[in-house]
């Protein structure tokens, strides 16, 4: 269902046939090149088994075997014993390969378009009007690799009310996507249109969008699905050392 860019990144050397077929069962992969912030990650693929990827030190602390398998309950018990906590899983959404191939860059217009440095004032006003917690969680920035915004008519001219931005993820051709719509303009499809436009422009640049959100963010999950994204996996990493 998904492109080779998606599976190559998330499986990183594994073939689908290498994965356990039972959800909640993980293949263990040792990777000495993992950064400290991702020295342990747990990937649960939709509808099948998953992958536990960790540094040699973490694998040894958890008592796991490279290439072996571990059940979710046993992994949780081993983490507790070793004092290794996870940060909290995110949904990982991608566009199916067929939907990705069908993307077309929207005709430039005043309502939904790519943003540039010339939109600094409009973006600053947008950021000032956004709830601080939403702004932090969405991580939408004007200086990101690609930014798309949706405008509505205002008393002083078009006003930016929704924006989506992306940046290349971990040195791959996947583009990690964030989106934010001002509260009073939600429910009108503006976030969905922004994400779809961003996906089309990213694809035209040789990338494809990656959409992540927390498991309990029902509004973001609904937006991802409305924009045509499909669940690929859930993904969790070790809790930051400063927590």
């Amino acid at each position: 269902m998904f492109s080779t860019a998606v599976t190559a990144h998330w499986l990183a050397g594994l073939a689908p046939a290498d994965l356990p077929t039972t959800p909640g069962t993980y293949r263990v992969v040792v990777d000495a090149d993992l950064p400290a912030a991702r020295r342990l990650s747990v990937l649960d693929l939709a509808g099948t088994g998953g992958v536990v990827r960790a540094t040699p030190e973490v694998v040894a602390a958890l008592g796991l075997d490279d290439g072996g398998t571990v059940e979710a309950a046993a992994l949780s018990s081993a983490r507790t014993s070793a004092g290794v906590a996870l940060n909290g899983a995110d949904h990982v959404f991608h566009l199916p390969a067929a939907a990705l191939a069908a993307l077309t860059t929207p005709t430039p217009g005043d309502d939904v378009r790519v943003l540039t440095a010339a939109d600094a004032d409009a973006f600053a006003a947008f950021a000032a009007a956004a709830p601080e917690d939403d702004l932090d969680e969405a991580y939408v920035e004007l200086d990101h690799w690609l930014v798309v915004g949706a405008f509505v008519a205002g008393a002083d001219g078009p006003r930016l009310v929704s924006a989506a931005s992306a940046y290349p993820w971990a040195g791959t051709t996947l583009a990690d996507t964030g989106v934010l719509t001002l509260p009073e303009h939600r429910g009108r499809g503006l976030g969905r249109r922004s994400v779809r436009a961003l996906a089309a422009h990213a694809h035209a640049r040789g990338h494809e969008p990656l959409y992540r959100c927390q498991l309990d963010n029902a509004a973001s999950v609904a937006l991802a699905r409305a924009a045509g994204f499909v669940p690929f996996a859930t993904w969790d990493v070790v809790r930051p050392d400063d927590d």
Side-chain angles (χ1 to χ4, degrees), residues 49-66:
V51 181
V52 169
R53 192 176 302 274
T55 61
E57 296 79 10
V58 172
V59 166
L62 297 180
L64 304 180
D65 297 316
D66 187 17

Side-chain angles (χ1 to χ4, degrees), residues 69-122:
T69 60
V70 61
E71 302 293 324
L75 177 62
S76 178
S77 178
R79 287 195 301 99
T80 299
S81 296
V84 179
L86 294 177
N87 194 49
D90 282 347
H91 282 297
V92 174
F93 290 93
H94 283 285
L95 287 170
L100 187 70
L103 286 174
T104 56
T105 304
T107 302
D110 290 334
D111 57 344
V112 179
R113 60 174 175 80
V114 172
L115 303 182
T116 69
D119 296 297
D121 289 345

Side-chain angles (χ1 to χ4, degrees), residues 8-233:
H9 171 69
W10 290 109
L11 300 186
L14 294 177
D18 296 327
L19 298 178
T21 57
T22 304
T25 303
Y26 306 97
R27 180 70 62 196
V28 178
V29 176
V30 175
D31 187 344
D33 295 326
L34 290 172
R38 294 200 298 276
R39 60 189 179 273
L40 170 66
S41 69
V42 180
L43 184 74
D44 282 276
L45 284 91
T48 188
V51 181
V52 169
R53 192 176 302 274
T55 61
E57 296 79 10
V58 172
V59 166
L62 297 180
L64 304 180
D65 297 316
D66 187 17
T69 60
V70 61
E71 302 293 324
L75 177 62
S76 178
S77 178
R79 287 195 301 99
T80 299
S81 296
V84 179
L86 294 177
N87 194 49
D90 282 347
H91 282 297
V92 174
F93 290 93
H94 283 285
L95 287 170
L100 187 70
L103 286 174
T104 56
T105 304
T107 302
D110 290 334
D111 57 344
V112 179
R113 60 174 175 80
V114 172
L115 303 182
T116 69
D119 296 297
D121 289 345
F123 193 89
F126 166 76
E132 185 174 352
D133 288 348
D134 290 354
L135 194 62
D136 289 342
E137 182 176 348
Y139 190 43
V140 175
E141 302 286 350
L142 186 61
D143 61 357
H144 278 172
W145 172 75
L146 176 63
V147 192
V148 170
F151 291 79
V152 299
D156 299 320
R159 180 190 177 203
L160 179 65
V161 298
S162 181
S165 70
Y167 53 90
W169 171 257
T172 71
T173 57
L174 305 181
D176 197 32
T177 301
V179 59
L180 176 62
T181 301
L182 298 182
E184 64 270 27
H185 293 279
R186 292 171 186 170
R188 300 168 56 183
L190 296 171
R192 175 187 58 79
R193 292 182 62 203
S194 297
V195 169
R196 290 287 298 177
L198 184 137
H201 283 289
H203 187 237
R205 297 185 184 188
H207 287 64
E208 63 175 279
L210 155 65
Y211 190 110
R212 296 182 300 130
C213 66
Q214 295 178 338
L215 299 188
D216 60 356
N217 192 337
S220 193
V221 169
L223 192 157
R225 293 181 180 276
F229 286 75
V230 171
F232 176 77

